[in-house]
Amino acid sequence: MSEIFPFQFKGFRLVLHLVNSSRRNLYVRPLRIFFSPRWVGGIVVALLLALFAGCRPSVPDSEGSVRVTEQVDLVDYLKATPVGQTFEGQPWITHTNTSDLDQDGKIDVLFCDAKENSVGWLQQTEQGWIESALATEIAAPVHVEPSDIDQDGDLDLLIASMGLVFPNNDKIGSVVILENDGTGQFTKRVIIDQIARVTDVRAGDFDGDGRIDLAVGQFGYDQGEIRWMRNMGGWRFESHMLLHLSGTINVCVADLNGDSHLDIAALVSQQWEEIYLFEGDGAGNFEKKVIFGSTNEDFGSSGMALYDLNRDGRLDILYSNGDGFDYARPGPRPWHGVQWLENRGNGFFAYQRVGDFAGAHCPVGVDLDQDGDMDVVAVSAFNEWDRPQAASMMLFENDGRMNFTPRLLARTPTHLLTCVAVNLDDGEAPTLLTGGFHAYPPWDRMSRLMDWRRGQTP
Amino acid sequence: MKLSSKQSRLVGIALLAIALVASGFGLWRAMDLRSAVAAILPERPNLDGFVPELGRRLEAAEGSARSLWNSRGGLSELARLYQANGFLSQARECQRSLVEIDPQNPTWPYFLGNIAGGYGDLQTALPLLQKTIQLAPDYLPARVRLGDSLMKSNQNAEAATVYREVLSRDPENGYAITGLSRTELNGGNPDAARQRLLQFVQRQPQFAPAWGLLISIEERLGNETAVAEYKLRAQDAGRQREMPDPWIDDLMAECYDPYRLSVAASAADPSNNHARARQLLERAVTIAPNDDLPIRLLGNLMSDLGEMTSARTYLERAAQIDPKEPDNWSYLVRVLKAIGDMPAANRALDAGLANCPEAPVLHLEKGRRYAAAGRFEAAAASFAFARRNLPEDSTASMELALVYFKQERLEEGVVALHEVVKIDPNHPVAVVLLARYAISNGDAADAANWIKRARKQPKIAARDLAQVVKEYRSQFGQLP
């Protein structure tokens, strides 16, 4: 008999005996255990203690996990009315913006039409919206921004011209300024052309010389850029590159880090899917850092705007991802939606999801329900339009504590790419104005420009 | 030492007690786990539009998750099904629990970190990816994603370290090389990034992401010649490629959404991963035999692979399922022409136009048919229609120009060529033709401009460019 595996403890001894009871077979005989009986009780007590001491599998409860909120249907909340000219074919409205262009005290709407290659104006009058063209023959305009760039007391218009909306790697973009002569007549000034496709132009004095400079986002395709352009006077501008990456959709200008100098936040899509903050020092120098980044190359960044969403005195970043134009057929992805980056000060931002929304574009911060907090409205350009329940406009209602409840505002018209909130002269709730971009089928629920007003109380 | 009978009884009782306690403990754990899992099971999402099999599998997985002995397996199944089918909130609910109750399985922190990182929630993603690497140190996609997440969190040095660790295990990992180059670029060292990428694309010229970054760097450095050359090389390499990720890719075997499968196949195809694209599309077609999208995509893939008979069968089926979709007809016509079955191509085109009378892509095809038959007026009308309705595509304008030239309507042809270069400023045929037109017109300055543009277009063969320059010299007595 051989004795192996001896274990000697303080109070008991346990020995395993392997017994070769035959010449052919090796088998284990029942254990012979030697210990004092009081240790039996000890083991039992120890095991019971272990049971109640919490050696149980830990499963996180649902608290703190992603909140799945039931979507509320509010399709009758807003009444939609087509405004502006009637249309033939498929409209391609790429941007809407607000401005009291004629400085009559009433907010008007500016818009870009990439099908007609024009920039238009919806003037707010007592008779309703009146449409007129401000400029034509601007190739694929996709952003219009009012700014008194020449500081002569009237609003000029900064235009981002892509050249072509659809993917193109050629240098066909340009920055155009429509100079206002103060009587509503505009002179077209091409500030720079033959550059990677331009998607956004904003104004700001970045070097402290008193002249208004430009921040320019260039999507390009495989190659793109972000630059700021120093205003040299006399409609001459000098380019300073900030980033050489493709896919810039928006550049927003504000003092975002609280140092009293203008900064530039830039949304860069394509395979990068990042938001950059270029922190300005007021003398034309910028420090770059990434303040948001998705590791999903198909995240589909689609739009960015600045709002003080939580009303803490700091501008936050409201941001949508819903571009579905890659791959097989334009359409939604499960991660499409809206988020906000909470400005925590000193250039630090914290990611917060607002909600899911297939094909989300153009997020707008607006107190739509007039309850004193800022809600979020977004439109969809890439939903599953073959499914009748697909939403084209959503409200994310803020409960005042930055919890957002999704509410479906509209299913039709489809293919909404742009949206703007307008405070009309009547003091009522804000009106929304949307633009349709019908570059792919189905073409049965189309719109060009639509006015959305409160129809009933929710 | 021998035990007395009393001692033996005591030992027996003790052993029984231990066995009972251990069994009770196991049972208690199982019950506790079952109730804990049951409490966190996500609400089943709306499955409208999905095949019933997904609902059945979810129900079965929920049943397992609520069972006494397989709650972990059931929850795992649910997590995979939800993620594979795009129900990411539900997938995260399951994965958060699985990270705790199946702590040695590296896929759970990876999936959860991947979803979080995808949403840009890098604070959540980073520790999960680090945990994945601890559990599965050889799974390189996790390391690359960790590097990407660190870089997007402004932790350049840490990201560079992670990319270097990947390269120490796989020196030819293009994603790590591209990532490391980005950290160098971010760190203000474009030359180092450029060198690294240049060496890599010499070894692996088909790796598209490296070309994209290299071109951006050359633009930043102002190297226009290199930019033009590399753009051409990048075109050969195809489009941007997503990183192969077996753990994520395997999830598609659980996918019941033909659209997601089609998108995944379209992402795989440009990476020349035809086998995977085919596998995904075939699954989509099996799941949704009456959805024309995956059938059309499969037809196109077969066409790319040279399997024309199979391509024809798929495309005919797609056109039959949705005759109102112009792409179904246009791809079918293309395949039938490639096969050489012109009567069938003509019939398909006529059927397509009857079903989609406004489709510009079919009018383009119709114009080509007229042009081939010498009916230039009718061809010009079709091309003009296509151009009006495809304003951002230069093809119709180019075809129109060629038809005008055949009719000797030179001025109109030149106008059409100018339309082409508005859309595609370096269109090789248009640029050369415009240069020749300017030479024949005696406009030296204009001709020189077009020749200058032609020199920047690497697609124009050297002999063609030389011929144009020769014509210029002959006409104007000097070089442009």
Side-chain angles (χ1 to χ4, degrees), chain B residues 42-267:
Chain B
E43 195 176 327
R44 187 122 33 108
N46 183 348
L47 297 178
D48 284 356
F50 280 93
V51 290
E53 191 184 339
L54 176 61
R56 283 196 290 273
R57 285 195 64 187
L58 287 172
E59 195 175 347
E62 281 172 8
S64 295
R66 287 197 174 91
S67 72
L68 192 57
W69 300 115
N70 194 26
S71 52
R72 189 169 73 180
L75 192 63
S76 306
E77 169 93 345
L78 273 179
R80 291 177 63 82
L81 282 169
Y82 278 134
Q83 184 164 358
N85 289 284
F87 299 110
L88 300 184
S89 295
Q90 288 85 350
R92 282 199 290 195
E93 288 282 317
C94 300
Q95 289 160 358
R96 284 182 68 245
S97 300
L98 285 161
V99 166
E100 302 292 334
I101 65 178
D102 190 8
Q104 296 308 309
N105 187 335
T107 60
W108 304 127
Y110 185 62
F111 289 152
L112 190 55
N114 215 15
I115 293 177
Y119 278 111
D121 184 3
L122 300 177
Q123 228 172 350
T124 302
L126 281 169
L128 288 162
L129 292 171
Q130 279 155 347
K131 187 172 179 181
T132 307
I133 288 165
Q134 280 171 11
L135 295 170
D138 294 330
Y139 194 66
L140 297 186
R143 289 183 184 268
V144 172
R145 289 196 198 278
L146 177 63
D148 293 348
S149 301
L150 288 164
M151 185 169 55
K152 286 168 189 273
S153 306
N154 292 301
Q155 299 178 58
N156 255 318
E158 292 83 350
T161 303
V162 172
Y163 292 131
R164 285 200 177 92
E165 282 166 3
V166 175
L167 292 172
S168 71
R169 290 158 186 261
D170 176 11
E172 292 299 296
N173 188 306
Y175 300 95
I177 285 172
T178 310
L180 187 56
S181 304
R182 274 200 82 193
T183 63
E184 287 163 340
L185 196 58
N186 292 341
N189 194 354
D191 287 326
R194 178 173 170 271
Q195 281 308 316
R196 185 180 303 283
L197 290 166
L198 265 176
Q199 287 168 9
F200 179 65
V201 294
Q202 279 169 6
R203 297 194 301 273
Q204 292 201 28
Q206 293 305 308
F207 191 78
W211 283 113
L213 190 59
L214 183 58
I215 294 167
S216 295
I217 294 170
E218 296 289 8
E219 282 203 326
R220 176 173 165 172
L221 297 173
N223 300 333
E224 278 189 31
T225 313
V227 168
E229 184 196 333
Y230 296 163
K231 277 185 175 177
L232 201 65
R233 304 280 300 274
Q235 277 177 12
D236 293 341
R239 61 177 295 172
Q240 182 71 25
R241 280 192 244 173
E242 287 176 19
M243 179 173 60
D245 187 336
W247 289 354
I248 298 282
D249 295 344
D250 283 353
L251 285 174
M252 294 315 282
E254 315 275 4
C255 182
Y256 291 89
D257 181 344
Y259 181 68
R260 278 177 70 76
L261 287 163
S262 300
V263 168
S266 300

Side-chain angles (χ1 to χ4, degrees), chain A residues 91-157:
Chain A
W92 286 12
I93 303 298
T94 50
H95 187 231
T96 49
N97 205 346
T98 55
S99 172
D100 180 8
L101 190 62
D102 52 1
Q103 297 180 319
D104 64 352
K106 292 177 182 162
I107 297 295
D108 308 314
V109 172
L110 305 164
F111 64 92
C112 295
D113 186 333
K115 196 71 171 282
E116 299 297 327
N117 291 329
S118 66
V119 175
W121 178 29
L122 281 178
Q123 187 183 7
Q124 191 190 151
T125 70
E126 287 180 2
Q127 290 76 42
W129 298 110
I130 294 177
E131 179 179 338
S132 54
L134 297 172
T136 56
E137 295 185 12
I138 297 177
V142 292
H143 191 100
V144 52
E145 188 73 20
S147 171
D148 183 8
I149 193 89
D150 53 5
Q151 297 170 298
D152 63 354
D154 52 44
L155 286 171
D156 311 300
L157 298 175

Side-chain angles (χ1 to χ4, degrees), chain B residues 386-448:
Chain B
R387 185 173 65 175
R388 268 199 308 280
N389 291 284
L390 269 180
E392 298 212 334
D393 189 330
S394 63
T395 315
S397 293
M398 193 65 234
E399 297 275 12
L400 194 57
L402 295 176
V403 163
Y404 285 145
F405 288 139
K406 280 179 184 164
Q407 292 178 289
E408 297 186 354
R409 293 159 66 179
L410 278 186
E411 298 300 325
E412 289 163 278
V414 170
V415 170
L417 286 178
H418 280 287
E419 291 294 322
V420 173
V421 292
K422 262 190 203 171
I423 297 166
D424 191 353
N426 297 312
H427 192 289
V429 179
V431 166
V432 168
L433 287 175
L434 284 166
R436 282 193 163 147
Y437 178 75
I439 292 167
S440 65
N441 235 14
D443 188 339
D446 195 32

Side-chain angles (χ1 to χ4, degrees), chain B residues 281-300:
Chain B
L281 289 171
E282 283 173 347
R283 178 173 171 79
V285 171
T286 306
I287 289 167
N290 292 318
D291 187 339
D292 66 307
L293 174 66
I295 297 172
R296 181 174 74 242
L297 293 176
L298 195 50
N300 289 342

